[in-house]
Amino acid sequence: MTCFSSLSRTPLLRLLLGTAATFSLAACDPDKDPEPTEQPIVTKSVFVVNEGNFMRSNADISLFSKASATVTNRTLFSSTNGRALGDVAQSMAVQDSLGYIVVNNSNKVEVVSLAKFRSKATIAGLKLPRYFAAASSAKGYVTETVSYSASAGQVSVLDLKTNAVTKTIAVGRQPEQLLVAGSRLYVTNSGENTVTVINTTTDAVEGTIPVGDAPNSLALDRNGNVWVLCGGRVAYNPDFSVDYARTTKGSLALITPDQLTATKREVESNRSAPGRLTINGARNQLYYTYQNGVYTLGIGDANLPTAPLIRRRFYGLGVDPQDNAIYGGIGSFTAADKVIRYRSNGAAIDSFTVNIGPNGFVFY
């Protein structure tokens, strides 16, 4: 039986084929194909999250093939689904065979099949969502700012089988990244200096852990410890220049398993806000951006590094867990941007062009 999947949506074709042909087309509708029959087309690849311009709805995902060292599709979502992804792609995460793309200013999460990147569902009605994490194949969580003037943000609990919000949990102001470790969910509250801890079995808040000002990202190491990177609170003068006398330093906090306390180490300067904390495949080496560079820290190191591994400013940062290659995204927000790859020792490998504002990477 021949399938005309690329044409079956046009009224003229349906008219020409008639009732019998329409039945035949419906039988081979690709959206109804059993998932196990789909052949993955993106293995050994990297999904690059392109944020796009605010209020322009030009966010998209680029697909980079590690095998060929080329971008095989710069506009993977829009070209596959025949519509725009939305306004500001904030992040993407993977659970099982699905990808969850958080589209911040469009107030939604797009659920896609990783096999062919076709849209499977849209979780709409969220309030400035930021990041997604899954606790299991059936349950996920997404942080929401709610509003920039709100005194508290929230975490929505998602049923991943029905793609519906089942509950909302109040957390701190402007929640950002979140991380599941064992039976706990850790949520960074970037508008203050705390991490909210939620029990993933009951969805009840267990406590709030004080850390440094403006926590923004987390990583889980091989010992089960949770590392929290804090950017520091930025204070402004009446003319909107930075008041460094009142600006606080960034810091790195460590939360040990089953504890509701943290130890903290400050960075050396308040002239730069550290961010984009990530970890390597062995989960023993941390990486983050700071002072126009990429810094790295072993989980057993006593002191924070004073010199960067890579001297370049990046908007997005990722480390491939398979080969420890470092990916740095340059965000000019004026035209197509690029990504530079480095070896784990900081030596440059190559670069490639993606779309506007590459802010994150998903390795598949």
Side-chain angles (χ1 to χ4, degrees), residues 12-74:
L12 178 59
L13 183 63
R14 289 198 297 270
L15 179 63
L16 292 174
L17 293 179
T19 304
T22 301
F23 176 80
S24 175
L25 289 171
C28 61
D29 180 353
D31 287 332
K32 296 180 181 178
D33 288 346
E35 284 294 332
T37 67
E38 293 186 350
Q39 296 300 314
I41 61 173
V42 293
T43 54
K44 296 184 179 179
S45 293
V46 183
F47 297 107
V48 182
V49 180
N50 300 296
E51 187 171 304
N53 298 108
F54 180 65
M55 298 295 289
R56 293 284 298 276
S57 293
N58 57 358
D60 216 316
I61 306 296
S62 296
L63 182 64
F64 176 77
S65 168
K66 293 192 291 183
S68 64
T70 60
V71 174
T72 57
N73 194 330
R74 278 177 54 185

Side-chain angles (χ1 to χ4, degrees), residues 175-193:
E176 282 288 291
Q177 285 193 19
L178 68 173
L179 180 149
V180 174
S183 61
R184 284 176 163 175
L185 177 72
Y186 295 83
V187 181
T188 56
N189 300 311
S190 70
E192 48 190 70
N193 62 349

Side-chain angles (χ1 to χ4, degrees), residues 78-90:
S78 58
S79 63
T80 300
N81 296 286
R83 61 181 174 88
L85 174 59
D87 186 2
V88 182
Q90 178 62 39

Side-chain angles (χ1 to χ4, degrees), residues 10-336:
T10 66
L12 178 59
L13 183 63
R14 289 198 297 270
L15 179 63
L16 292 174
L17 293 179
T19 304
T22 301
F23 176 80
S24 175
L25 289 171
C28 61
D29 180 353
D31 287 332
K32 296 180 181 178
D33 288 346
E35 284 294 332
T37 67
E38 293 186 350
Q39 296 300 314
I41 61 173
V42 293
T43 54
K44 296 184 179 179
S45 293
V46 183
F47 297 107
V48 182
V49 180
N50 300 296
E51 187 171 304
N53 298 108
F54 180 65
M55 298 295 289
R56 293 284 298 276
S57 293
N58 57 358
D60 216 316
I61 306 296
S62 296
L63 182 64
F64 176 77
S65 168
K66 293 192 291 183
S68 64
T70 60
V71 174
T72 57
N73 194 330
R74 278 177 54 185
T75 56
L76 182 60
F77 183 90
S78 58
S79 63
T80 300
N81 296 286
R83 61 181 174 88
L85 174 59
D87 186 2
V88 182
Q90 178 62 39
S91 60
M92 176 180 170
V94 166
Q95 176 63 31
D96 299 330
S97 62
L98 297 174
Y100 294 83
I101 309 168
V102 182
V103 191
N104 174 252
N105 206 42
S106 292
N107 295 307
K108 66 177 181 176
V109 172
E110 286 283 356
V111 185
V112 296
S113 163
L114 293 180
K116 295 186 178 180
F117 225 73
R118 297 182 309 194
S119 178
K120 295 297 181 183
T122 300
I123 305 172
L126 301 173
K127 298 177 180 178
L128 298 174
R130 302 294 291 174
Y131 291 90
F132 168 92
S136 67
S137 297
K139 181 191 283 190
Y141 299 90
V142 60
T143 52
E144 296 169 77
T145 301
V146 179
S147 80
Y148 293 107
S149 61
S151 59
Q154 68 184 26
V155 171
S156 280
V157 184
L158 306 179
D159 183 330
L160 301 186
K161 300 302 182 183
T162 64
N163 295 306
V165 175
T166 61
K167 182 180 181 179
T168 59
I169 306 167
V171 293
R173 190 168 183 263
Q174 295 180 2
E176 282 288 291
Q177 285 193 19
L178 68 173
L179 180 149
V180 174
S183 61
R184 284 176 163 175
L185 177 72
Y186 295 83
V187 181
T188 56
N189 300 311
S190 70
E192 48 190 70
N193 62 349
T194 62
V195 170
T196 300
V197 182
I198 298 170
N199 185 300
T200 57
T201 301
T202 64
D203 291 330
V205 173
E206 289 190 350
T208 302
I209 302 175
V211 289
D213 289 331
N216 55 56
S217 47
L218 311 94
L220 179 68
D221 73 19
R222 65 183 182 185
N223 299 321
N225 297 312
V226 176
W227 297 81
V228 183
L229 190 63
C230 308
R233 184 184 68 253
V234 180
Y236 294 95
N237 294 308
D239 63 356
F240 299 105
S241 62
V242 176
D243 181 353
Y244 289 107
R246 295 186 297 121
T247 294
T248 61
K249 293 180 179 180
S251 60
L252 183 65
L254 175 62
I255 302 170
T256 56
D258 301 321
Q259 298 294 318
L260 291 175
T261 58
T263 58
K264 183 180 70 172
R265 288 176 276 182
E266 287 189 336
V267 298
E268 61 182 357
S269 173
N270 70 344
R271 301 273 168 157
S272 177
R276 305 289 184 184
L277 182 66
T278 188
I279 197 165
N280 66 347
R283 296 190 175 276
N284 62 358
Q285 196 76 21
L286 300 164
Y287 298 81
Y288 58 91
T289 58
Y290 174 60
Q291 289 189 326
N292 296 327
V294 176
Y295 287 68
T296 185
L297 172 77
I299 61 173
D301 291 350
N303 300 307
L304 296 181
T306 57
L309 174 68
I310 301 169
R311 293 185 181 275
R312 182 139 193 177
R313 182 177 182 176
F314 291 117
Y315 187 66
L317 181 68
V319 177
D320 189 334
Q322 298 174 359
D323 60 14
N324 293 323
I326 302 166
Y327 288 66
I330 297 175
S332 69
F333 293 94
T334 57

